[in-house]
């Protein structure tokens, strides 16, 4: 695939899955726009073949998102966003009976409302330009639930519903909207697991290994390059949720 004529915005792309997705598109020639809530480190920016644009704002702040995107589109040489990957999100895990209402609200606000805050203004532009691809990073826990993640599960399930609705609304303007639901992906969290916890988790995964951020990035590139898939959720979990 070649994305040399495409501009890709990846939210939450300073590390982890978001950074891997941004690198995957960069290797295929795309123009990248990185986003994070805090300043992106110079070494991250330097890791790209083409110097990316950067955006810094909290996606949960609707006004901040609107103003940042408005300023981006006003740049004289900016032609628009072809591919949006909504990856930014947070977790605040706790069993349901012990979860603070504020922690439930914050996780839903960032992961679900925040995705809407970024998507709505870009979706409007895509409708006018009559093309576009939106990829929402959901989670396998949005499909199967998980102990201690009632807030995160609810938000990620909501993203799947959002994906289907946007796909129906955007189809006539050739806008494709899909979701990816990663399972257990190698991260700082998995690195800190005890041997017993790691063994238990691996036994629940038919492929008997954790996935990599690159496994998710490969699917994002595939979805962005295909012109006849929309409204779907692709699960990348080694068979955890079958």
């Amino acid at each position: 695939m070649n994305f040399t004529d495409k501009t890709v915005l990846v939210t939450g792309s300073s590390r982890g899955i978001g950074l891997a997705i941004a690198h995957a598109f960069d290797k295929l020639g795309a123009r990248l726009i990185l986003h994070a809530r805090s300043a992106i480190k110079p070494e991250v920016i330097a890791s790209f073949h083409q110097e990316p644009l950067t955006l810094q704002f909290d996606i949960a702040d609707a006004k901040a998102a609107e103003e940042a995107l408005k300023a981006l589109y006003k740049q004289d040489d900016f032609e628009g966003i072809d591919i949006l990957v909504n990856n930014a999100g947070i977790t605040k895990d706790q069993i349901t009976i012990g979860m603070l209402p504020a922690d439930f609200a914050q996780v839903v606000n960032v992961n679900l409302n925040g995705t809407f805050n970024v998507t709505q203004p870009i979706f409007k532009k895509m409708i006018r330009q009559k093309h576009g691809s939106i990829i929402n990073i959901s989670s396998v826990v949005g499909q199967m639930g998980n102990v201690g993640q009632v807030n995160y599960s609810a938000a990620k399930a909501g993203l799947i519903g959002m994906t289907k609705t946007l796909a129906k609304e955007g189809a006539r303007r050739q806008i494709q909207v899909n979701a990816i639901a990663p399972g257990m992906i190698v991260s700082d969290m998995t690195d800190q697991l005890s041997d017993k916890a790691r063994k238990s988790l691996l036994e629940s995964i038919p492929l008997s290994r954790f996935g990599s951020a690159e496994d998710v990035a490969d699917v994002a590139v595939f979805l962005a390059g295909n012109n006849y898939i929309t409204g779907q959720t692709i699960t990348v979990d080694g068979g955890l949720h079958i």
Side-chain angles (χ1 to χ4, degrees):
M1 296 182 188
N2 190 303
F3 292 91
T4 53
D5 60 341
K6 303 296 184 183
T7 297
V8 184
L9 167 59
V10 185
T11 67
S13 47
S14 62
R15 61 188 176 88
I17 290 174
L19 182 57
I21 291 172
H23 276 145
F25 280 108
D26 175 64
K27 289 175 183 176
L28 295 170
R31 299 181 294 268
L32 264 297
I33 305 170
L34 306 182
H35 159 270
R37 187 171 53 181
S38 54
I40 298 174
K41 296 178 180 179
E43 56 266 33
V44 171
I45 296 172
S47 68
F48 289 81
H49 292 95
Q50 300 182 63
E51 183 174 354
L53 295 174
T54 60
L55 295 176
Q56 181 182 343
F57 62 88
D58 182 353
I59 64 170
D61 186 333
K63 185 175 181 181
E66 181 182 16
E67 290 177 351
L69 292 169
K70 187 179 293 183
L72 177 68
Y73 276 97
K74 281 184 177 179
Q75 294 182 19
D76 292 337
D77 58 347
F78 189 73
E79 297 180 357
I81 294 168
D82 302 290
I83 300 162
L84 167 63
V85 182
N86 286 305
N87 170 74
I90 64 168
T91 58
K92 282 200 170 183
D93 298 348
Q94 178 60 268
I95 59 172
T96 301
I97 60 173
M99 182 171 288
L100 296 173
D103 288 343
F104 184 92
Q106 184 182 12
V107 169
V108 172
N109 191 34
V110 173
N111 291 279
L112 187 58
N113 297 3
T115 297
F116 176 80
N117 292 339
V118 174
T119 301
Q120 186 186 46
I122 295 174
F123 191 61
K124 289 178 181 177
K125 297 289 186 180
M126 286 181 171
I127 286 174
R128 294 191 188 105
Q129 67 193 25
K130 297 182 180 180
H131 75 270
S133 176
I134 298 173
I135 300 166
N136 295 321
I137 305 302
S138 180
S139 170
V140 69
V141 305
Q143 298 172 310
M144 60 185 285
N146 193 37
V147 174
Q149 290 192 309
V150 66
N151 48 5
Y152 190 70
S153 299
K156 291 301 187 178
L159 276 184
I160 292 173
M162 183 187 295
T163 296
K164 292 178 180 295
T165 296
L166 289 171
K168 290 183 175 182
E169 293 181 356
R172 290 187 178 181
R173 295 302 178 100
Q174 300 305 305
I175 301 166
Q176 295 164 247
V177 188
N178 293 287
I180 301 173
M184 289 299 299
I185 303 298
V186 173
S187 64
D188 293 342
M189 182 189 75
T190 58
D191 291 342
Q192 294 171 9
L193 290 171
S194 67
D195 290 342
K196 182 179 180 181
R198 179 183 294 271
K199 183 175 183 293
S200 176
L201 281 169
L202 289 173
E203 287 175 349
S204 68
I205 301 171
L207 287 183
S208 301
R209 63 179 176 84
F210 297 146
S212 69
E214 288 72 25
D215 290 327
V216 181
D218 287 345
V219 177
V221 167
F222 166 73
L223 288 172
N226 185 284
N227 61 10
Y228 202 59
I229 298 175
T230 196
Q232 304 304 306
T233 299
I234 309 299
T235 305
V236 185
D237 69 349
L240 175 63
H241 177 56
I242 294 178

